[in-house]
Amino acid sequence: MHIEWSTFWIQLIAFLILYVLLSKFAFGPLFGMMEKRRQLVKDQIQTAEASRKQADQLLEEQKQALQQMRKEAYDIIEQAKQTGSKQADDIVRAAGAEAARLKDEALKDIENEKNKAVAALRSQVGAMSVLIASKIIEKQIDEKSQEQLVEHYLKEVGGNV
């Protein structure tokens, strides 16, 4: 194989001229576009990473908000239970007080009725004793004697009742 030096130098000069022309007019814009594309991809990756971090942060905030809402719901339920229990206790206390009041009133009514019955009985016993005494004695008793007799029988009957 034989190398022709004249052709070699012409080809070398043509290659260098072509290289200079390509680097000035083709490689510059091509590398510029490639750099822009690289920068665009880099920006998109950074944006995606930032979006992922923001999504993670929002997810964590939502988890915390959900946890807070669950806690508040639990607190509301517990408060409702306590309020219900307190109201039930209040109702039981009020019912007990009302029952005691009604019992006291009933006892007072019974005592009043007893006193009325005793008074009525004394009155009837007094009248009957005077009637019996007047029949036994078969004489007219004056008012003062009758009153003394009634008092005497009332004392006797009152002591027995």
Side-chain angles (χ1 to χ4, degrees):
M1 205 165 148
H2 182 301
I3 295 179
E4 294 225 10
W5 290 102
S6 61
T7 318
F8 173 74
W9 291 112
I10 292 175
Q11 285 178 352
L12 184 62
I13 292 173
F15 178 75
L16 289 175
I17 292 172
L18 182 62
Y19 181 77
V20 169
L21 287 174
L22 281 176
S23 61
K24 186 172 184 177
F25 294 110
F27 291 146
L30 182 64
F31 287 143
M33 286 190 335
M34 289 177 71
E35 182 61 29
K36 285 180 184 176
R37 177 70 179 157
R38 187 188 66 80
Q39 188 63 37
L40 179 66
V41 169
K42 182 180 173 183
D43 290 344
Q44 287 177 344
I45 289 173
Q46 288 175 346
T47 303
E49 183 66 24
S51 296
R52 187 190 61 78
K53 285 181 182 178
Q54 186 178 13
D56 288 344
Q57 182 181 7
L58 288 174
L59 180 64
E60 186 62 31
E61 288 174 3
Q62 287 177 348
K63 284 181 182 178
Q64 289 175 355
L66 181 61
Q67 190 72 11
Q68 181 67 27
M69 284 190 287
R70 284 182 180 159
K71 183 182 179 300
E72 288 174 5
Y74 178 78
D75 291 343
I76 289 170
I77 290 170
E78 285 301 312
Q79 186 179 15
K81 285 180 183 177
Q82 290 174 355
T83 302
S85 177
K86 183 181 176 192
Q87 287 177 348
D89 291 343
D90 290 345
I91 289 170
V92 168
R93 264 189 251 110
E98 181 67 15
R101 185 187 66 80
L102 290 174
K103 180 181 172 187
D104 290 342
E105 283 182 13
L107 288 174
K108 286 178 185 177
D109 288 344
I110 290 170
E111 186 65 29
N112 287 338
E113 291 300 318
K114 177 185 162 188
N115 290 337
K116 285 180 186 178
V118 167
L121 184 61
R122 281 184 182 172
S123 172
Q124 288 177 357
V125 166
M128 288 177 112
S129 63
V130 168
L131 187 63
I132 292 172
S134 67
K135 284 188 179 183
I136 291 176
I137 298 176
E138 294 184 8
K139 67 176 184 175
Q140 183 88 8
I141 300 177
D142 65 352
E143 193 174 316
K144 187 175 182 183
S145 303
Q146 185 178 1
E147 194 173 306
Q148 288 175 351
L149 189 59
V150 169
E151 288 295 322
H152 175 70
Y153 282 118
L154 282 178
K155 286 180 183 176
E156 284 182 17
V157 172
N160 292 335
V161 177

Short mmCIF file of all heavy atoms in Angstrom, two decimals, residues 5-15:
data_model
loop_
_atom_site.label_atom_id
_atom_site.label_comp_id
_atom_site.label_asym_id
_atom_site.label_seq_id
_atom_site.Cartn_x
_atom_site.Cartn_y
_atom_site.Cartn_z
N TRP A 5 0.97 11.35 -0.61
CA TRP A 5 1.03 12.43 0.37
C TRP A 5 0.30 13.68 -0.11
O TRP A 5 -0.27 14.41 0.72
CB TRP A 5 2.48 12.76 0.72
CG TRP A 5 3.10 11.64 1.53
CD1 TRP A 5 3.92 10.68 1.10
CD2 TRP A 5 2.85 11.41 2.89
NE1 TRP A 5 4.25 9.83 2.09
CE2 TRP A 5 3.57 10.29 3.26
CE3 TRP A 5 2.10 12.00 3.89
CZ2 TRP A 5 3.61 9.77 4.51
CZ3 TRP A 5 2.16 11.46 5.13
CH2 TRP A 5 2.88 10.36 5.45
N SER A 6 0.28 13.92 -1.31
CA SER A 6 -0.41 15.12 -1.78
C SER A 6 -1.91 14.99 -1.54
O SER A 6 -2.58 15.93 -1.10
CB SER A 6 -0.12 15.36 -3.26
OG SER A 6 -0.58 14.27 -4.01
N THR A 7 -2.46 13.84 -1.79
CA THR A 7 -3.89 13.63 -1.56
C THR A 7 -4.17 13.64 -0.06
O THR A 7 -5.19 14.15 0.39
CB THR A 7 -4.32 12.27 -2.12
OG1 THR A 7 -3.73 12.05 -3.37
CG2 THR A 7 -5.81 12.18 -2.27
N PHE A 8 -3.24 13.08 0.71
CA PHE A 8 -3.41 13.04 2.16
C PHE A 8 -3.51 14.44 2.72
O PHE A 8 -4.38 14.75 3.54
CB PHE A 8 -2.25 12.27 2.80
CG PHE A 8 -2.25 12.33 4.29
CD1 PHE A 8 -3.17 11.60 5.05
CD2 PHE A 8 -1.36 13.14 4.98
CE1 PHE A 8 -3.14 11.69 6.42
CE2 PHE A 8 -1.34 13.22 6.33
CZ PHE A 8 -2.24 12.47 7.08
N TRP A 9 -2.65 15.30 2.27
CA TRP A 9 -2.66 16.68 2.80
C TRP A 9 -3.90 17.43 2.33
O TRP A 9 -4.49 18.19 3.11
CB TRP A 9 -1.39 17.44 2.39
CG TRP A 9 -0.16 16.90 3.09
CD1 TRP A 9 0.86 16.26 2.54
CD2 TRP A 9 0.09 17.01 4.46
NE1 TRP A 9 1.79 15.90 3.46
CE2 TRP A 9 1.31 16.38 4.71
CE3 TRP A 9 -0.55 17.53 5.57
CZ2 TRP A 9 1.91 16.27 5.94
CZ3 TRP A 9 0.07 17.42 6.78
CH2 TRP A 9 1.25 16.80 6.97
N ILE A 10 -4.33 17.18 1.17
CA ILE A 10 -5.55 17.85 0.68
C ILE A 10 -6.75 17.35 1.48
O ILE A 10 -7.62 18.12 1.89
CB ILE A 10 -5.74 17.58 -0.83
CG1 ILE A 10 -4.64 18.29 -1.61
CG2 ILE A 10 -7.12 18.05 -1.29
CD1 ILE A 10 -4.66 17.99 -3.08
N GLN A 11 -6.78 16.07 1.72
CA GLN A 11 -7.89 15.52 2.50
C GLN A 11 -7.87 16.03 3.96
O GLN A 11 -8.91 16.33 4.54
CB GLN A 11 -7.84 13.98 2.50
CG GLN A 11 -8.29 13.39 1.17
CD GLN A 11 -8.17 11.87 1.19
OE1 GLN A 11 -7.62 11.28 2.12
NE2 GLN A 11 -8.66 11.24 0.14
N LEU A 12 -6.64 16.16 4.48
CA LEU A 12 -6.49 16.66 5.85
C LEU A 12 -6.94 18.12 5.93
O LEU A 12 -7.67 18.50 6.86
CB LEU A 12 -5.04 16.51 6.32
CG LEU A 12 -4.77 16.92 7.76
CD1 LEU A 12 -5.55 16.07 8.74
CD2 LEU A 12 -3.31 16.87 8.05
N ILE A 13 -6.56 18.93 4.95
CA ILE A 13 -6.95 20.35 4.93
C ILE A 13 -8.46 20.45 4.73
O ILE A 13 -9.14 21.24 5.40
CB ILE A 13 -6.18 21.11 3.85
CG1 ILE A 13 -4.72 21.18 4.25
CG2 ILE A 13 -6.74 22.50 3.66
CD1 ILE A 13 -3.83 21.76 3.20
N ALA A 14 -9.03 19.64 3.85
CA ALA A 14 -10.48 19.66 3.62
C ALA A 14 -11.21 19.24 4.90
O ALA A 14 -12.25 19.82 5.26
CB ALA A 14 -10.84 18.73 2.46
N PHE A 15 -10.63 18.22 5.58
CA PHE A 15 -11.27 17.78 6.84
C PHE A 15 -11.22 18.88 7.89
O PHE A 15 -12.21 19.13 8.58
CB PHE A 15 -10.56 16.51 7.37
CG PHE A 15 -11.12 16.04 8.67
CD1 PHE A 15 -12.35 15.39 8.75
CD2 PHE A 15 -10.42 16.28 9.85
CE1 PHE A 15 -12.84 14.99 9.96
CE2 PHE A 15 -10.93 15.87 11.07
CZ PHE A 15 -12.13 15.21 11.12
#
